[in-house]
């Protein structure tokens, strides 16, 4: 690792500790040449995941799209932010644990809906109404009846 101060390559790790929130390692380093200290972070590099859209186009997985959808569904609901963040982390873990390079957006949507159903029924119905493209009140009622029948 090059020193950002004097550009020498002789640096050593003085301290290492995990960073829980980001699944990375924080390393405190010291330059053998100039003696200055600096911090680096190491993160596991994952294989890029490709999402296959409904129109068969492909795009790289983007966590913020799931975050946006869930935040819209949970808008003005009494759900703690930490619960929402945990749900997004769980969804992402489930998606990446499949160890596939491509995943259909329909599968991602179903995983999100399953998790939202556990989190908050109103948020689930909000998400489902957009995801399943409810055309009228009857399809909306069918989804509600199905959800109430499972309880």
């Amino acid at each position: 690792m090059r020193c950002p101060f004097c550009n020498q390559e002789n640096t050593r790790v003085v301290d290492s500790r995990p960073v829980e929130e980001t699944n990375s390692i924080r390393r405190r380093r010291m330059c053998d040449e100039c003696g200055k200290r600096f911090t680096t972070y190491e993160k596991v590099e994952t294989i890029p995941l490709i999402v296959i859209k409904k129109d068969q186009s492909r795009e790289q997985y983007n966590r913020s799209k799931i975050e946006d959808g869930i935040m819209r569904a949970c808008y003005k609901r009494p759900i703690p932010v930490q619960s929402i963040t945990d749900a997004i982390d769980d969804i992402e873990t489930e998606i990446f644990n499949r160890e596939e390079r491509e995943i259909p957006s329909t599968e991602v949507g179903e995983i999100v809906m399953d998790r939202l159903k556990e989190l908050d029924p109103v948020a689930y119905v909000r998400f489902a109404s957009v995801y399943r493209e409810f055309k009228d009140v009857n399809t909306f009622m069918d989804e509600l009846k199905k959800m109430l029948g499972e309880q």
Side-chain angles (χ1 to χ4, degrees):
M1 177 65 65
R2 287 187 180 272
C3 174
F5 304 105
C6 68
N7 211 25
Q8 291 296 316
E9 287 190 31
N10 297 334
T11 64
R12 59 187 151 108
V13 176
V14 178
D15 181 40
S16 289
R17 57 181 72 170
V19 180
E20 296 299 323
E21 302 86 46
T22 59
N23 287 333
S24 59
I25 296 176
R26 177 184 181 270
R27 297 203 190 277
R28 200 66 187 133
R29 296 179 178 268
M30 187 169 93
C31 177
D32 291 337
E33 198 67 34
C34 69
K36 292 190 178 180
R37 292 178 175 223
F38 59 99
T39 303
T40 60
Y41 292 89
E42 288 182 23
K43 187 172 182 162
V44 175
E45 188 173 49
T46 57
I47 298 169
L49 179 67
I50 303 298
V51 177
I52 305 168
K53 308 294 281 180
K54 288 178 183 176
D55 66 357
Q56 299 305 307
S57 64
R58 286 166 164 71
E59 65 180 44
Q60 192 163 353
Y61 168 79
N62 186 347
R63 178 186 170 106
S64 65
K65 287 191 171 192
I66 291 175
E67 288 173 342
D68 292 345
I70 289 176
M71 293 305 281
R72 267 189 252 117
C74 295
Y75 182 67
K76 289 191 176 181
R77 295 297 302 150
I79 306 168
V81 174
Q82 188 59 49
S83 297
I84 294 171
T85 304
D86 291 345
I88 294 167
D89 290 342
D90 291 346
I91 291 164
E92 194 169 57
T93 299
E94 185 172 339
I95 290 169
F96 280 100
N97 280 347
R98 292 174 181 231
E99 297 181 4
E100 297 173 10
R101 290 188 161 188
E102 294 184 334
I103 186 169
S105 62
T106 53
E107 282 185 41
V108 174
E110 293 299 324
I111 293 168
V112 171
M113 289 203 334
D114 288 344
R115 191 65 176 88
L116 277 175
K117 195 182 289 185
E118 298 168 15
L119 190 63
D120 184 77
V122 173
Y124 165 77
V125 172
R126 285 179 178 171
F127 187 87
S129 69
V130 174
Y131 174 70
R132 293 223 170 110
E133 299 173 346
F134 293 167
K135 301 291 185 218
D136 56 25
V137 175
N138 292 329
T139 53
F140 190 81
M141 286 303 294
D142 290 342
E143 187 66 32
L144 286 175
K145 287 175 186 172
K146 194 181 342 171
M147 190 179 86
L148 291 171
E150 291 175 3
Q151 290 180 351

